[in-house]
Tab-separated table of all heavy atoms in Angstrom:
chain	number	residue	atom	x	y	z
O	1372	ILE	N	-39.945	-39.609	-15.344
O	1372	ILE	CA	-39.658	-38.311	-14.622
O	1372	ILE	C	-38.256	-38.062	-14.329
O	1372	ILE	O	-37.692	-37.024	-14.687
O	1372	ILE	CB	-40.520	-38.164	-13.313
O	1372	ILE	CG1	-42.032	-38.354	-13.623
O	1372	ILE	CG2	-40.259	-36.897	-12.638
O	1372	ILE	CD1	-42.951	-38.363	-12.385
O	1373	PRO	N	-37.535	-39.039	-13.800
O	1373	PRO	CA	-36.076	-38.801	-13.535
O	1373	PRO	C	-35.303	-38.576	-14.823
O	1373	PRO	O	-34.374	-37.753	-14.855
O	1373	PRO	CB	-35.548	-40.086	-12.797
O	1373	PRO	CG	-36.805	-40.659	-12.189
O	1373	PRO	CD	-37.965	-40.308	-13.077
O	1374	ALA	N	-35.724	-39.332	-15.899
O	1374	ALA	CA	-34.987	-39.186	-17.161
O	1374	ALA	C	-35.163	-37.748	-17.712
O	1374	ALA	O	-34.244	-37.088	-18.175
O	1374	ALA	CB	-35.443	-40.160	-18.172
O	1375	VAL	N	-36.380	-37.277	-17.673
O	1375	VAL	CA	-36.633	-35.915	-18.239
O	1375	VAL	C	-35.992	-34.894	-17.341
O	1375	VAL	O	-35.385	-33.848	-17.872
O	1375	VAL	CB	-38.223	-35.683	-18.288
O	1375	VAL	CG1	-38.483	-34.261	-18.611
O	1375	VAL	CG2	-38.838	-36.627	-19.261
O	1376	ALA	N	-36.130	-34.993	-16.050
O	1376	ALA	CA	-35.473	-34.111	-15.130
O	1376	ALA	C	-33.887	-34.027	-15.346
O	1376	ALA	O	-33.307	-32.922	-15.253
O	1376	ALA	CB	-35.729	-34.410	-13.711
O	1377	PHE	N	-33.304	-35.154	-15.578
O	1377	PHE	CA	-31.852	-35.218	-15.845
O	1377	PHE	C	-31.514	-34.406	-17.060
O	1377	PHE	O	-30.517	-33.628	-17.117
O	1377	PHE	CB	-31.410	-36.643	-15.964
O	1377	PHE	CG	-29.976	-36.813	-16.196
O	1377	PHE	CD1	-29.045	-36.783	-15.172
O	1377	PHE	CD2	-29.433	-36.968	-17.493
O	1377	PHE	CE1	-27.653	-36.957	-15.378
O	1377	PHE	CE2	-28.033	-37.099	-17.756
O	1377	PHE	CZ	-27.148	-37.044	-16.684
O	1378	LEU	N	-32.314	-34.631	-18.112
O	1378	LEU	CA	-32.064	-33.861	-19.397
O	1378	LEU	C	-32.220	-32.348	-19.236
O	1378	LEU	O	-31.470	-31.618	-19.728
O	1378	LEU	CB	-33.024	-34.405	-20.487
O	1378	LEU	CG	-32.736	-35.828	-20.979
O	1378	LEU	CD1	-33.888	-36.272	-21.973
O	1378	LEU	CD2	-31.415	-35.976	-21.634
O	1379	ILE	N	-33.203	-31.970	-18.460
O	1379	ILE	CA	-33.506	-30.526	-18.233
O	1379	ILE	C	-32.413	-29.974	-17.366
O	1379	ILE	O	-31.943	-28.829	-17.640
O	1379	ILE	CB	-34.923	-30.347	-17.563
O	1379	ILE	CG1	-35.859	-30.592	-18.636
O	1379	ILE	CG2	-35.018	-28.966	-17.015
O	1379	ILE	CD1	-37.370	-30.562	-18.115
O	1380	ALA	N	-31.988	-30.675	-16.278
O	1380	ALA	CA	-30.945	-30.157	-15.417
O	1380	ALA	C	-29.638	-29.943	-16.211
O	1380	ALA	O	-28.902	-28.926	-16.068
O	1380	ALA	CB	-30.684	-31.101	-14.328
O	1381	THR	N	-29.364	-30.823	-17.146
O	1381	THR	CA	-28.148	-30.774	-17.972
O	1381	THR	C	-28.281	-29.695	-19.015
O	1381	THR	O	-27.364	-28.858	-19.243
O	1381	THR	CB	-27.866	-32.031	-18.635
O	1381	THR	OG1	-27.754	-33.152	-17.663
O	1381	THR	CG2	-26.653	-32.002	-19.498
O	1382	ALA	N	-29.421	-29.610	-19.658
O	1382	ALA	CA	-29.677	-28.661	-20.744
O	1382	ALA	C	-29.712	-27.266	-20.291
O	1382	ALA	O	-29.150	-26.313	-20.963
O	1382	ALA	CB	-30.949	-28.931	-21.466
O	1383	PHE	N	-30.222	-27.016	-19.100
O	1383	PHE	CA	-30.317	-25.644	-18.559
O	1383	PHE	C	-29.075	-25.187	-17.764
O	1383	PHE	O	-28.893	-24.110	-17.323
O	1383	PHE	CB	-31.558	-25.504	-17.646
O	1383	PHE	CG	-32.775	-25.258	-18.372
O	1383	PHE	CD1	-33.539	-26.264	-18.963
O	1383	PHE	CD2	-33.335	-23.988	-18.543
O	1383	PHE	CE1	-34.711	-26.094	-19.649
O	1383	PHE	CE2	-34.503	-23.741	-19.231
O	1383	PHE	CZ	-35.224	-24.812	-19.801
O	1384	GLY	N	-28.117	-26.190	-17.571
O	1384	GLY	CA	-26.936	-25.888	-16.905
O	1384	GLY	C	-27.115	-25.460	-15.433
O	1384	GLY	O	-26.449	-24.497	-14.966
O	1385	LEU	N	-28.038	-26.100	-14.710
O	1385	LEU	CA	-28.278	-25.749	-13.326
O	1385	LEU	C	-27.091	-25.852	-12.520
O	1385	LEU	O	-26.251	-26.820	-12.688
O	1385	LEU	CB	-29.424	-26.654	-12.785
O	1385	LEU	CG	-30.836	-26.467	-13.326
O	1385	LEU	CD1	-31.803	-27.318	-12.681
O	1385	LEU	CD2	-31.300	-24.953	-13.193
O	1386	PRO	N	-26.925	-24.952	-11.536
O	1386	PRO	CA	-25.770	-25.207	-10.529
O	1386	PRO	C	-25.879	-26.576	-9.890
O	1386	PRO	O	-27.001	-27.065	-9.736
O	1386	PRO	CB	-26.062	-24.057	-9.585
O	1386	PRO	CG	-26.807	-22.967	-10.256
O	1386	PRO	CD	-27.638	-23.785	-11.293
O	1387	PRO	N	-24.827	-27.244	-9.521
O	1387	PRO	CA	-24.784	-28.545	-9.034
O	1387	PRO	C	-25.833	-28.819	-7.908
O	1387	PRO	O	-26.581	-29.796	-7.971
O	1387	PRO	CB	-23.389	-28.795	-8.502
O	1387	PRO	CG	-22.568	-27.844	-9.428
O	1387	PRO	CD	-23.410	-26.648	-9.636
O	1388	GLU	N	-25.902	-27.893	-6.906
O	1388	GLU	CA	-26.806	-28.220	-5.800
O	1388	GLU	C	-28.283	-28.140	-6.261
O	1388	GLU	O	-29.064	-28.922	-5.748
O	1388	GLU	CB	-26.568	-27.212	-4.673
O	1388	GLU	CG	-25.249	-27.361	-3.995
O	1388	GLU	CD	-24.995	-26.313	-2.858
O	1388	GLU	OE1	-25.445	-25.137	-3.133
O	1388	GLU	OE2	-24.463	-26.697	-1.748
O	1389	LEU	N	-28.536	-27.219	-7.191
O	1389	LEU	CA	-29.894	-27.196	-7.661
O	1389	LEU	C	-30.253	-28.274	-8.618
O	1389	LEU	O	-31.379	-28.742	-8.652
O	1389	LEU	CB	-30.165	-25.767	-8.355
O	1389	LEU	CG	-30.030	-24.529	-7.583
O	1389	LEU	CD1	-30.397	-23.339	-8.400
O	1389	LEU	CD2	-31.011	-24.631	-6.361
O	1390	ALA	N	-29.231	-28.741	-9.314
O	1390	ALA	CA	-29.442	-29.944	-10.202
O	1390	ALA	C	-29.709	-31.174	-9.287
O	1390	ALA	O	-30.683	-31.951	-9.575
O	1390	ALA	CB	-28.161	-30.216	-10.983
O	1391	VAL	N	-29.026	-31.379	-8.153
O	1391	VAL	CA	-29.303	-32.411	-7.280
O	1391	VAL	C	-30.779	-32.269	-6.694
O	1391	VAL	O	-31.462	-33.180	-6.577
O	1391	VAL	CB	-28.290	-32.510	-6.101
O	1391	VAL	CG1	-28.727	-33.517	-5.048
O	1391	VAL	CG2	-26.939	-32.845	-6.702
O	1392	GLY	N	-31.113	-31.065	-6.373
O	1392	GLY	CA	-32.422	-30.745	-5.800
O	1392	GLY	C	-33.484	-31.109	-6.849
O	1392	GLY	O	-34.581	-31.690	-6.550
O	1393	LEU	N	-33.258	-30.837	-8.162
O	1393	LEU	CA	-34.219	-31.207	-9.178
O	1393	LEU	C	-34.414	-32.721	-9.300
O	1393	LEU	O	-35.440	-33.204	-9.497
O	1393	LEU	CB	-33.779	-30.571	-10.529
O	1393	LEU	CG	-34.741	-30.787	-11.714
O	1393	LEU	CD1	-36.059	-30.129	-11.418
O	1393	LEU	CD2	-34.133	-30.307	-13.022
O	1394	MET	N	-33.268	-33.381	-9.221
O	1394	MET	CA	-33.295	-34.881	-9.297
O	1394	MET	C	-33.963	-35.483	-8.037
O	1394	MET	O	-34.763	-36.437	-8.204
O	1394	MET	CB	-31.925	-35.435	-9.384
O	1394	MET	CG	-31.215	-35.098	-10.634
O	1394	MET	SD	-32.188	-35.276	-12.163
O	1394	MET	CE	-32.578	-37.009	-12.132
O	1395	ILE	N	-33.831	-34.848	-6.891
O	1395	ILE	CA	-34.544	-35.307	-5.728
O	1395	ILE	C	-36.066	-35.171	-5.901
O	1395	ILE	O	-36.866	-36.039	-5.704
O	1395	ILE	CB	-34.100	-34.466	-4.410
O	1395	ILE	CG1	-32.767	-34.916	-4.005
O	1395	ILE	CG2	-35.113	-34.753	-3.314
O	1395	ILE	CD1	-32.125	-33.949	-2.925
O	1396	LEU	N	-36.458	-34.008	-6.469
O	1396	LEU	CA	-37.880	-33.784	-6.758
O	1396	LEU	C	-38.398	-34.817	-7.770
O	1396	LEU	O	-39.483	-35.401	-7.583
O	1396	LEU	CB	-38.060	-32.429	-7.423
O	1396	LEU	CG	-39.382	-32.059	-7.990
O	1396	LEU	CD1	-40.484	-31.970	-6.968
O	1396	LEU	CD2	-39.306	-30.836	-8.897
O	1397	SER	N	-37.563	-35.149	-8.727
O	1397	SER	CA	-38.036	-36.160	-9.776
O	1397	SER	C	-38.175	-37.557	-9.294
O	1397	SER	O	-38.932	-38.336	-9.854
O	1397	SER	CB	-37.046	-36.161	-10.958
O	1397	SER	OG	-35.794	-36.815	-10.632
O	1398	LEU	N	-37.533	-37.889	-8.207
O	1398	LEU	CA	-37.630	-39.212	-7.596
O	1398	LEU	C	-38.693	-39.378	-6.567
O	1398	LEU	O	-39.055	-40.447	-6.131
O	1398	LEU	CB	-36.278	-39.466	-6.879
O	1398	LEU	CG	-35.054	-39.466	-7.772
O	1398	LEU	CD1	-33.729	-39.628	-6.929
O	1398	LEU	CD2	-35.103	-40.690	-8.744
O	1399	CYS	N	-39.428	-38.170	-6.282
O	1399	CYS	CA	-40.586	-38.258	-5.303
O	1399	CYS	C	-41.779	-38.832	-6.075
O	1399	CYS	O	-41.915	-38.857	-7.244
O	1399	CYS	CB	-40.868	-36.904	-4.853
O	1399	CYS	SG	-39.641	-36.042	-3.897
O	1400	PRO	N	-42.576	-39.561	-5.218
O	1400	PRO	CA	-43.845	-40.074	-5.749
O	1400	PRO	C	-44.827	-38.895	-6.041
O	1400	PRO	O	-44.502	-37.733	-5.743
O	1400	PRO	CB	-44.430	-40.941	-4.665
O	1400	PRO	CG	-43.759	-40.343	-3.455
O	1400	PRO	CD	-42.510	-39.745	-3.833
O	1401	GLY	N	-46.004	-39.180	-6.573
O	1401	GLY	CA	-47.038	-38.221	-6.774
O	1401	GLY	C	-47.531	-37.570	-5.509
O	1401	GLY	O	-47.510	-38.197	-4.443
Side-chain angles (χ1 to χ4, degrees):
I1372 300 176
V1375 173
F1377 181 84
L1378 291 175
I1379 288 176
T1381 304
F1383 279 82
L1385 292 181
E1388 290 180 324
L1389 295 184
V1391 173
L1393 184 64
M1394 296 314 301
I1395 291 173
L1396 170 70
S1397 75
L1398 298 171
C1399 293

